Amino acid sequence: ALRGHVLVWPSTRNMPAALTDKILANDPTIPPTILSHIDEITQATKTFLNEWDVMNEPYDNHDIMDRFGEQRMIEWFQRARTNLPTAELYVNDYAILSGGGSNVAKQDAYEQTIRYIREGGGPLTGIGFQGHFSGAATGIPRMWEILQRYATAFPELKFRVTEFDHTT
């Protein structure tokens, strides 16, 4: 089993340089260009991967949503589902579990984003929690509390700890 990372990282600093000026200018060709990118990548990899992070780090990377609407997130998941009818489709973000689990504002926003995608018909099947840890790792009781929060809010979704690393 292999997972793909990532179809859309929705900020100007993570998009190809050729698109940056167009994004900043609110060029209407950007949303269909992103959908074409999803088509190209999913078609090329559909026989190799059974999971995809469709969107990465929406809390800190939201230029596309700011300029072209939050509904674009739903479209990305729908397009991925069209191309990958059986793949698991994830949203992925960092600092949900790390840092002692203290970034409650980000945890709240992540839950709201997930809820928005699901309620809008986005075929999200899982939640990615980046596992970048440094120094003392988040304690097990706090980690459990955070995961339980998302399990209660989204009992039908799968969880993955992604991008796991630990530095001292």
Side-chain angles (χ1 to χ4, degrees):
L2 293 173
R3 32 184 359 261
H5 176 82
V6 58
L7 293 174
V8 183
W9 202 351
S11 75
T12 54
R13 69 178 174 264
N14 297 308
M15 288 280 183
L19 298 180
T20 301
D21 289 340
K22 289 181 176 187
I23 294 167
L24 295 173
N26 299 324
D27 185 319
T29 65
I30 292 299
T33 298
I34 294 171
L35 293 176
S36 293
H37 167 76
I38 292 171
D39 291 342
E40 179 182 353
I41 299 301
T42 55
Q43 292 301 316
T45 62
K46 67 183 176 183
T47 60
F48 304 108
L49 305 172
N50 61 344
E51 292 182 10
W52 264 104
D53 289 332
V54 174
M55 181 175 56
N56 194 47
E57 301 175 357
Y59 184 81
D60 293 318
N61 296 275
H62 45 80
D63 294 328
I64 302 301
M65 290 83 88
D66 293 347
R67 287 169 169 74
F68 302 101
E70 289 189 352
Q71 75 279 5
R72 300 300 175 187
M73 295 184 290
I74 297 165
E75 291 174 2
W76 302 332
F77 279 90
Q78 290 171 337
R79 183 58 65 97
R81 174 56 68 228
T82 296
N83 294 330
L84 304 168
T86 61
E88 295 180 5
L89 305 177
Y90 285 76
V91 62
N92 189 51
D93 216 330
Y94 72 96
I96 305 299
L97 301 176
S98 60
S102 63
N103 197 337
V104 176
K106 191 165 190 174
Q107 294 163 8
D108 292 345
Y110 199 36
E111 181 176 338
Q112 290 169 0
T113 297
I114 295 163
R115 192 170 309 287
Y116 176 81
I117 293 167
R118 299 277 298 158
E119 290 175 356
L124 177 67
T125 53
I127 304 170
F129 300 94
Q130 290 182 26
H132 299 298
F133 297 95
S134 61
T138 303
I140 291 172
R142 180 63 181 138
M143 186 86 66
W144 180 255
E145 183 181 309
I146 296 165
L147 292 171
Q148 193 62 39
R149 168 194 179 160
Y150 289 95
T152 300
F154 308 106
E156 69 284 4
L157 298 181
K158 296 182 178 186
F159 293 177
R160 293 283 183 264
V161 175
T162 64
E163 306 179 41
F164 183 79
D165 57 61
H166 189 278
T167 59
T168 54

